[in-house]
Amino acid sequence: MSDDGSPHYHGHRDRLRARFLQVGGDALPDYELLELVLFRLIPRRDVKPIAKELLRRFGTFAEVLAAPSARLMEVDGIGANVVTDLKVIEAAARRLVKGDVAKRQVLSSWTSVIDYCRAAMAFMDKEQFRLLFLDKRNGLIADEVQQSGTVDHTPVYPREVVKRALELSASALILVHNHPSGDPTPSPADIKMTREIMEVAKPLGITVHDHIIVGREGHASLKGLKLI
């Protein structure tokens, strides 16, 4: 308790809010930004230990937001309502990054594409395969998750990928998937699958611009690595 009878963490909350307003979120370490989020979600408890435990388990602010709900609730103090609000923040963050991609020609804003893919997929605990469908000007028509799989495998069917591109009248594709292990290095299966999709797509006038693999440790471009 402080001298006025209020819990000791109230003063800390006021000081941290004031610093956030003064210097902005980019200047704060992950645990303090997470504290700011938790202040409103857990109003009657010191949230610094909770924030630090979340980061100890999951690594970064982004990884906390993207962590599976069941694992988040293993942390003392994190209940279903808190998890729901964290997931709302995660969805909002993805929508912001996706907006940067959607309003530009994709190939002229490659950094935004990579940022979006990492935000959407890099911290997932299961493998996911998604497709970015592009028009003739390389504008984004649609972004769809085609398959979700197990920890280390997602079945991908080249003809289904190309069929969906034809349905959307897409002229080009960017393939994206994540490696839950964290290492984005392409596997022989990744390379084989990409080449199979390219073989089916090319006679139909559909270009595969790239296959991006994302993970906690970064990203890999099959085109950049000259694998396709």
Side-chain angles (χ1 to χ4, degrees):
M1 287 286 191
S2 63
D3 293 340
D4 63 3
S6 62
H8 68 87
Y9 53 80
H10 279 192
H12 170 66
R13 291 184 174 202
D14 292 340
R15 288 189 295 274
L16 188 51
R17 288 191 186 101
R19 193 149 65 86
F20 172 78
L21 292 172
Q22 182 179 10
V23 302
D26 289 345
L28 300 181
D30 276 9
Y31 81 90
E32 289 187 336
L33 191 60
L34 192 52
E35 278 189 79
L36 283 166
V37 170
L38 295 174
F39 285 167
R40 292 186 181 276
L41 308 183
I42 308 174
R44 296 179 180 84
R45 183 169 173 178
D46 182 5
V47 298
K48 182 185 285 187
I50 300 173
K52 290 196 170 183
E53 175 61 16
L54 286 167
L55 291 169
R56 186 191 70 78
R57 289 197 186 201
F58 302 111
T60 66
F61 182 83
E63 287 174 292
V64 169
L65 294 181
S69 298
R71 289 198 59 204
L72 286 168
M73 284 194 286
E74 291 173 1
V75 176
D76 182 39
I78 301 295
N81 290 338
V82 173
V83 168
T84 298
D85 286 344
L86 290 175
K87 291 302 175 185
V88 169
I89 295 168
E90 180 197 12
R94 290 186 185 184
R95 190 70 57 90
L96 283 169
V97 181
K98 185 177 182 180
D100 280 344
V101 174
K103 68 186 179 185
R104 303 177 188 171
Q105 288 189 346
V106 167
L107 296 188
S108 65
S109 55
W110 199 244
T111 300
S112 295
V113 174
I114 298 299
D115 287 347
Y116 170 63
C117 293
R118 280 185 51 76
M121 302 173 69
F123 306 112
M124 299 182 71
D125 64 338
K126 292 184 179 179
E127 193 167 292
Q128 188 181 82
F129 181 76
R130 70 196 301 136
L131 296 162
L132 306 183
F133 297 94
L134 311 180
D135 61 22
K136 290 180 180 179
R137 296 185 177 183
N138 290 316
L140 186 67
I141 298 173
D143 161 27
E144 296 183 352
V145 175
Q146 203 222 21
Q147 300 281 348
S148 292
T150 59
V151 171
D152 60 359
H153 179 67
T154 299
V156 177
Y157 305 102
R159 293 190 182 279
E160 290 299 315
V161 170
V162 176
K163 177 184 175 184
R164 184 58 179 151
L166 292 171
E167 290 172 352
L168 293 169
S169 299
S171 298
L173 293 170
I174 297 173
L175 317 177
V176 190
H177 86 279
N178 63 308
H179 280 179
S181 67
D183 180 2
T185 303
S187 68
D190 295 333
I191 299 166
K192 180 175 181 289
M193 175 264 291
T194 307
R195 291 174 177 170
E196 287 174 353
I197 292 174
M198 294 175 74
E199 287 174 7
V200 177
K202 186 175 181 180
L204 299 171
I206 299 169
T207 302
V208 177
H209 284 311
D210 205 347
H211 184 169
I212 300 168
I213 302 171
V214 296
R216 292 178 181 84
E217 297 172 14
H219 73 277
S221 157
L222 266 66
K223 186 174 184 179
L225 293 170
K226 301 189 185 317
L227 295 172
I228 58 172

